[in-house]
Amino acid sequence: MRTVIDQEGKLLQDPWPVLESDQRSGEAQRGALHYWLYRDAAPADATERTAHTRLGVQLLGDDDRCAQLQDLSHLALLCIEVPLFTDGRAFSLARAARESGFRGDLRICGDFLPDQVHYFRRVGVSSFLLPKDSDHSNFVASIRGFSDAYQAAVDQTQPLFRRRWTWPMPAAVRA
Amino acid sequence: MYVYDAIDQRLVDERVEQFRAQTQRYLAGELTAAQFLPLRLQNGLYIQRLAPMLRVAIPYGLMRSDQLRKLAEISRRYDKGYGHFSTRQNIQFNWPALEDVPDILAELASVQLHAIQTSGNCIRNTTSDEYAGVARDEIEDPRPYCELIRQWSTFHPEFAFLPRKFKIAVNGAVSDRAAVHAHDIGVELQRNARGEVGFRILVGGGLGRTPVVGLEIRPWLAKKHLLSYLEAILRVYNLRGRRDNKFKARIKILVKAMGIEAFREAVDAEWQMLRDGPTTLTDEAIAQAQSYFTAPPYEALDTEAAQQQCNKAMEMDPRFARWYTQNTREHRVAGYRIVDVSLKAVATPPGDISDQQMELVADLADRYAFGEIRSTHQQNLVLADVRIDQLLEVWHALDAAQLASPTLGLLTDIVCCPGGDYCSLANARSIPLSEAIQRRFDNLDYLHDLGPIDLNISGCMNACGHHHIGHIGILGVDKKGEEFFQISLGGSQNGRASIGDILGPSFGAEEVPAVIEQILQIYLEQRESAEESFLDTYRRIGIQQFKEPIYANRH
């Protein structure tokens, strides 16, 4: 049983089941990226199938730029699989996806810690497919992170210095 | 000095509670050691040979007296009554108990100290020139930019799981006291052709297994672009740095593999998407950051009278004169001098300081130095603003507390890592060797005659003692299970930065002091004059002049 939570920590009724590898059709290899397709209760018709198709991207190998996925606008779900929780590329990829205009559900799956979800949330991740057999309460508890942030990201595009240091300093204070 | 507002304080407090919860989960068995590892590292906590080690951040080396007192208190309550200043301006405690660390962090937070990101594969403490704001050769004070970088890098969501650690240093003077060429990113305040102050950016410097001098990626960057440009560099590194081999994961390896041209292009491509965006610094933000680092209320002294008084005291007491010459420096304000507080007393591990000594320095700071203290990456402290006519009193107090060894910049002002006595990574014990060298070369006249010599000792290839950039570098190696030391010559961190040349096969611990003596003898014989420094002589005559005589009677 896979658990999916959204960026508020709410459990989701996930409409996108993960396909097992033998179910993956249209699995393509572009460079070193593997793709697989999430499909909902899909009609057999090819056109309709495409309309209901989602793309999952697995991080592997040397070629890891999200630019590999040329146009993300047709995707409703983009899932980045983290191979190992120490591999922080997913944070940059997630952010790049959002900054290139991806508006769909940006999901993280694979190996990640509850303590990483608030950073994922900051870079624009909107849902989490939790590791198998994990206790979702820890993930939910960690999702808020801190009450504010110094630097710009996706959830807050204005760095703190733009929000709190907005008036010119009076000359007298600067010796 | 930067002043926390309610937001800064809340963030530090929230971090403490976050780590408290993580520690509880770990102790309850809900987190494996591997899962707890990055979390505790990013709160400065190492598990070491004898006990956990906690590394507390001293942002760009600047402290208030009450902060130093709190560190003294913590060393007393939770440790063995001392702390250790590191080569990145931080302070380390060697003996805290794991379950006490959340409480220690809470105490630190009460005086706006923390251990955030002092370890782990994230952006570490941004370090700087210990004479920032007071040096005569300063172009512009680097500290406002250090503070802006600190904030930008703290809890940066994109860069908490980098391929490896990341270290940034900022220098604002002509002389480089921040070793910017030996950092992952070095930032130098520079004027362009129009006289505008901006940043020269260096990338890919570093010590360790594969020491490299940083390369220039950008000769001049307007101030407002600082953070967005750094972000572009970090992003390229995060995406492309090697993750397959821990020893090939630093940015210096990536820059070397790509070549600086291709690396620059990759950074520029990322930067185009960030440039002029919200991370661009505003005039208001720069002004606000600068407002925290203004001059203290210097008194208008009768400088001549003050100097005469001081000179008289020097005539009366040659020991005071020696300390004045070696351990104090010219200040940009007439009537004041910069005081170096030496943590290199003979038979003390370099950089170690007791709780009583910390309290003494805090008191001296309050009475004589506007309440501020700096730590240096050469493991000493600084009282930056002392009136010339008060130097004698300050010296008496420091001298009584073994904080006045008049050896700043000399051979026995040794930079030394904790080594095998404390660190599980070490091949050899560096501290006993440091002591042996200090004991052997204890004649002050001889030391002064030798002139400035940077002697750096590292217990292993991780080079926490920065031996690669020592004029004389010593590296502990494990040879057939025994402790041996390899010597290098001609490293340098200032101006023409260079990595030292290895002299030859390693020596046993007992041999090393004699070899050092021989090296010094060769220097004294070969120098063109007493004014030619060890480094200059070495660069002129080359390593063979040392290698041949030293190995002539060995092996």
Side-chain angles (χ1 to χ4, degrees):
Chain A
M1 235 308 268
R2 295 298 190 101
T3 316
V4 179
I5 57 173
D6 71 4
Q7 81 260 35
E8 306 302 320
K10 237 176 55 211
L11 281 169
L12 284 184
Q13 286 286 72
D14 188 29
W16 309 121
V18 179
L19 297 178
E20 299 309 319
S21 35
D22 59 345
Q23 291 177 290
R24 293 173 194 174
S25 63
E27 184 176 8
Q29 262 182 291
R30 222 188 288 173
L33 288 172
H34 297 265
Y35 296 80
W36 65 90
L37 305 177
Y38 291 78
R39 216 183 292 135
D40 66 3
D45 181 82
T47 333
E48 280 229 49
R49 203 183 318 151
T50 314
H52 293 274
T53 301
R54 277 72 173 121
L55 204 55
V57 174
Q58 182 174 351
L59 267 189
L60 265 183
D62 301 313
D63 208 4
D64 48 20
R65 283 168 296 161
C66 208
Q68 284 269 335
L69 304 164
Q70 271 108 41
D71 178 19
L72 302 173
S73 58
H74 65 289
L75 298 180
L77 168 73
L78 177 64
C79 182
I80 303 176
E81 177 169 334
V82 184
L84 206 59
F85 74 84
T86 51
D87 187 332
R89 287 179 291 173
F91 297 95
S92 286
L93 285 179
R95 189 165 179 191
R98 284 298 188 209
E99 287 175 356
S100 67
F102 178 65
R103 297 259 178 280
D105 186 7
L106 182 57
R107 181 170 296 183
I108 293 292
C109 68
D111 182 28
F112 60 100
L113 298 179
D115 313 83
Q116 292 174 306
V117 296
H118 71 278
Y119 281 166
F120 275 124
R121 203 176 59 82
R122 287 219 66 213
V123 294
V125 171
S126 47
S127 66
F128 301 88
L129 174 55
L130 302 189
K132 237 181 192 151
D133 303 325
S134 54
D135 178 0
H136 78 270
S137 63
N138 277 327
F139 289 87
V140 172
S142 305
I143 219 157
R144 267 294 135 211
F146 304 117
S147 57
D148 209 324
Y150 284 115
Q151 62 290 109
V154 174
D155 65 334
Q156 169 57 270
T157 57
Q158 301 300 302
L160 187 58
F161 67 77
R162 275 183 191 265
R163 291 182 279 124
R164 68 172 169 176
W165 293 345
T166 54
W167 51 86
M169 286 302 301
V173 181
R174 304 169 53 194
Chain B
M1 177 101 201
Y2 182 65
V3 177
Y4 275 32
D5 70 7
I7 298 175
D8 298 300
Q9 187 64 52
R10 199 161 43 228
L11 288 173
V12 165
D13 293 338
E14 286 172 354
R15 175 60 156 211
V16 173
E17 290 321 302
Q18 180 192 58
F19 186 64
R20 192 184 292 284
Q22 290 164 344
T23 304
Q24 279 161 0
R25 277 161 57 209
Y26 171 66
L27 291 173
E30 291 164 28
L31 276 175
T32 67
Q35 290 170 332
F36 187 52
L37 175 71
L39 307 179
R40 63 171 169 82
L41 288 180
Q42 299 207 19
N43 285 283
L45 186 60
Y46 283 86
I47 304 299
Q48 275 294 15
R49 270 196 64 226
L50 303 164
M53 184 270 277
L54 180 65
R55 179 181 294 146
V56 176
I58 310 288
Y60 38 95
L62 189 58
M63 288 174 270
R64 301 188 313 252
S65 55
D66 64 309
Q67 292 176 324
L68 187 53
R69 282 193 191 91
K70 177 61 75 174
L71 293 170
E73 201 187 295
I74 286 171
S75 78
R76 241 193 324 270
R77 276 183 59 188
Y78 296 101
D79 205 284
K80 297 198 177 181
Y82 70 97
H84 170 81
F85 280 98
S86 76
T87 51
R88 296 213 76 244
Q89 299 181 298
N90 293 321
I91 187 169
Q92 295 174 175
F93 294 110
N94 292 315
W95 306 94
L98 171 58
E99 54 275 12
D100 285 340
V101 173
D103 286 341
I104 295 172
L105 294 180
E107 297 236 21
L108 290 171
S110 74
V111 292
Q112 297 79 53
L113 288 175
H114 60 75
I116 294 166
Q117 295 172 207
T118 55
S119 188
N121 295 335
C122 54
I123 303 171
R124 306 284 190 91
N125 187 26
T126 297
T127 54
S128 191
D129 172 10
E130 62 267 24
Y131 300 152
V134 296
R136 292 213 146 206
D137 68 336
E138 185 155 275
I139 297 164
E140 199 185 299
D141 194 331
R143 294 172 299 173
Y145 308 101
C146 291
E147 178 57 29
L148 290 167
I149 294 171
R150 183 189 77 85
Q151 293 186 13
W152 162 80
S153 63
T154 300
F155 309 145
H156 198 305
E158 210 182 324
F159 305 131
F161 293 86
L162 296 170
R164 203 71 173 92
K165 62 179 99 169
F166 205 92
K167 301 177 180 178
I168 302 173
V170 184
N171 176 38
V174 172
S175 192
D176 175 16
R177 287 176 287 270
V180 295
H181 289 83
H183 278 78
D184 298 295
I185 290 178
V187 178
E188 291 195 297
L189 282 149
Q190 300 250 311
R191 290 190 190 283
N192 65 4
R194 286 192 300 276
E196 298 165 311
V197 177
F199 304 108
R200 177 175 180 240
I201 309 289
L202 303 167
V203 74
L207 306 178
R209 253 151 244 271
T210 50
V212 171
V213 171
L215 297 171
E216 180 183 283
I217 185 174
R218 191 140 178 129
W220 195 86
L221 184 69
K223 284 181 185 176
K224 62 179 177 170
H225 294 313
L226 178 65
L227 299 181
S228 62
Y229 194 75
L230 294 188
E231 191 147 289
I233 296 175
L234 263 299
R235 188 167 291 172
V236 171
Y237 174 57
N238 190 39
L239 286 172
R240 303 204 202 188
R242 284 179 69 165
R243 293 177 187 267
D244 60 309
N245 181 343
K246 183 176 161 173
F247 303 121
K248 299 225 175 276
R250 297 291 289 272
I251 196 172
K252 64 188 174 188
I253 306 292
L254 180 63
V255 171
K256 190 135 193 265
M258 289 177 71
I260 186 69
E261 299 295 334
F263 184 79
R264 182 185 296 119
E265 272 170 38
V267 170
D268 282 341
E270 289 294 342
W271 192 43
Q272 285 325 301
M273 301 192 275
L274 294 164
R275 185 184 179 144
D276 298 323
T279 298
T280 307
L281 286 166
T282 56
D283 289 341
E284 289 82 0
I286 293 173
Q288 177 94 21
Q290 287 172 329
S291 74
Y292 297 106
F293 303 100
T294 50
Y298 293 120
E299 297 173 61
L301 297 173
D302 181 346
T303 314
E304 232 185 277
Q307 189 67 63
Q308 268 170 24
Q309 183 187 322
C310 191
N311 293 346
K312 199 133 185 255
M314 287 197 271
E315 277 168 48
M316 308 258 300
D317 191 338
R319 288 184 70 242
F320 171 58
R322 179 157 257 161
W323 176 84
Y324 176 101
T325 310
Q326 203 58 43
N327 287 24
T328 74
R329 257 136 258 298
E330 256 197 312
H331 194 289
R332 67 174 183 82
V333 172
Y336 283 80
R337 275 185 89 80
I338 303 169
V339 169
D340 294 297
V341 177
S342 169
L343 303 184
K344 312 292 176 71
V346 177
T348 323
D352 276 15
I353 183 169
S354 71
D355 59 328
Q356 288 141 327
Q357 287 173 322
M358 286 191 252
E359 267 149 8
L360 173 81
V361 175
D363 287 343
L364 291 175
D366 281 338
R367 282 170 56 198
Y368 301 105
F370 302 106
E372 285 185 7
I373 307 103
R374 294 112 181 274
S375 58
T376 85
H377 74 283
Q378 290 168 313
Q379 304 177 294
N380 290 314
L381 298 177
V382 172
L383 294 169
D385 308 282
V386 180
R387 275 170 49 171
I388 289 178
D389 56 352
Q390 293 180 332
L391 286 173
L392 182 66
E393 298 155 57
V394 170
W395 173 68
H396 275 307
L398 291 174
D399 191 39
Q402 288 86 52
L403 295 168
S405 300
T407 57
L408 241 293
L410 303 181
L411 179 78
T412 52
D413 182 19
I414 298 173
V415 171
C416 181
C417 72
D421 288 308
Y422 292 97
C423 179
S424 52
L425 301 170
N427 285 324
R429 290 170 309 141
S430 48
I431 291 173
L433 180 60
S434 169
E435 183 178 331
I437 291 171
Q438 282 183 326
R439 285 196 189 285
R440 187 180 187 118
F441 302 102
D442 60 355
N443 183 307
L444 287 172
D445 291 326
Y446 177 64
L447 291 174
H448 281 94
D449 183 40
L450 287 172
I453 299 182
D454 288 347
L455 177 72
N456 295 58
I457 307 177
S458 299
C460 78
M461 293 192 81
N462 287 297
C464 300
H466 292 183
H467 65 280
H468 296 296
I469 51 175
H471 303 154
I472 300 175
I474 303 178
L475 167 65
V477 295
D478 184 329
K479 208 157 118 174
K480 304 172 231 175
E482 281 175 47
E483 292 188 348
F484 276 74
F485 293 89
Q486 188 182 75
I487 295 176
S488 58
L489 299 177
S492 167
Q493 59 185 287
N494 198 351
R496 228 182 86 204
S498 54
I499 305 295
D501 306 309
I502 296 171
L503 186 62
S506 55
F507 303 93
E510 344 65 50
E511 279 187 279
V512 173
V515 174
I516 302 293
E517 184 154 359
Q518 206 178 346
I519 290 169
L520 298 172
Q521 198 51 40
I522 294 166
Y523 158 61
L524 289 172
E525 285 163 7
Q526 300 257 15
R527 68 182 181 184
E528 284 183 332
S529 71
E531 278 68 51
E532 190 182 46
S533 70
F534 175 85
L535 180 64
D536 286 342
T537 300
Y538 172 78
R539 283 176 167 165
R540 180 173 55 79
I541 70 178
I543 196 152
Q544 284 303 114
Q545 296 288 312
F546 293 89
K547 200 175 165 115
E548 275 165 28
I550 286 167
Y551 288 99
N553 302 323
R554 294 182 165 88
H555 314 288

